[in-house]
Amino acid sequence: MNLGKNFKGFLIAIEGIDGCGKSSLSENLISELNNLGFETVKTKEPGATPLGQYLRDILQNRTFDIDDKAEFLLFAADRAQHMHQVVIPALQSNKIVISDRMADSSVAYQGYARGLNIDIINKINDWATNSIKPDLTIYLKIDYQTAISRVKHRYNKNEQELTHFEKEKEEFFKKVITGFDNIFKIKDKDKVLIIDGTQNQNTIILQTLEHILDKIKIKKKLNE
Ligand code: TMP
């Protein structure tokens, strides 16, 4: 799908393993961008639409077995609805969209960690998203030990159950990390920002905000 000229918004995906700090970063970036006068939409996968909320609950709190292929197709269904209902309308009205995870999460989790065929995942993702890709993906890179201790701390504090994915073993998360590392090694360097997720939040916000503002300026100029 070609969204056309005259800017047409800016799509940012934030990726990384559970506990890498994606959710705080997307909240902070949205408030910084709003303060600068941009119109923004904060969103996520899975779970940004009414259909997505059902799918997220099934995927995270399942009480029955879900086959790996079925798991991926549920994420893809969430993704198709998310693009149709949230992302495309926001881009068409020239907004800055920040999504906590997008298609690369399926490549890392269902492809690299679960072992599904990555070419098929990429094809279905492409179909589900109408070939719309993020203008910029921020990869918050963090080691397994730091991530898992953050996840455990968060859940001990809130006295909440760990989700299906958070209960996975170290070996699974190490494969997810390798997956993300490989995905971003081969992507167009212009569209990726790799950030050390163990740094303090303020440093991360400054590094990412500056980069985002530069990229928006360039896209605006090109699409005038
Ligand atoms: P999060 O919203 O807290 O990041 O949780 C979503 C969980 O779902 C997280 O553990 C990663 C997982 N996930 C996949 O396995 N594949 C996907 O395509 C997406 C979007 C998320």
Side-chain angles (χ1 to χ4, degrees), residues 168-203:
E168 287 286 354
K169 305 259 177 306
E170 178 169 352
E171 192 195 350
F172 177 84
F173 282 106
K174 293 216 158 138
K175 287 184 192 161
V176 177
I177 294 173
T178 304
F180 278 128
D181 287 351
N182 287 347
I183 292 167
F184 297 116
K185 220 179 273 164
I186 55 174
K187 246 194 225 304
D188 182 353
K189 296 277 169 287
D190 250 20
K191 296 194 181 281
V192 176
L193 178 63
I194 300 176
I195 293 285
D196 173 359
T198 62
Q199 301 175 102
N200 76 50
Q201 251 321 290
N202 282 345
T203 311

Side-chain angles (χ1 to χ4, degrees), residues 6-19:
N6 265 339
F7 188 53
K8 295 301 170 223
F10 195 83
L11 177 59
I12 301 164
I14 306 186
E15 297 281 6
I17 62 169
D18 302 71

Side-chain angles (χ1 to χ4, degrees), residues 3 27 30-31 51-52 62 68 78 85-86 94 127 131 159 171 188 204:
L3 292 169
E27 255 163 52
I30 288 282
S31 84
L51 170 67
R62 65 188 80 171
D68 293 345
D78 168 78
Q85 198 173 342
V86 179
N94 292 328
W127 185 62
S131 308
E159 291 166 355
E171 192 195 350
D188 182 353
I204 295 178

Side-chain angles (χ1 to χ4, degrees), residues 46-59 73-82 84-85:
T49 63
L51 170 67
Q53 281 164 19
Y54 274 106
L55 295 172
R56 182 180 176 90
D57 186 45
I58 293 169
L59 285 158
L73 291 169
L74 293 177
F75 280 114
D78 168 78
R79 187 159 295 134
Q81 188 68 24
H82 181 220
H84 166 75
Q85 198 173 342

Side-chain angles (χ1 to χ4, degrees), residues 18 22 56 60 75 79 101 105-106 109-110 165:
D18 302 71
K22 296 174 289 85
R56 182 180 176 90
Q60 301 271 59
F75 280 114
R79 187 159 295 134
R101 298 194 186 283
S105 277
S106 282
Y109 282 78
Q110 280 66 51
F165 290 95

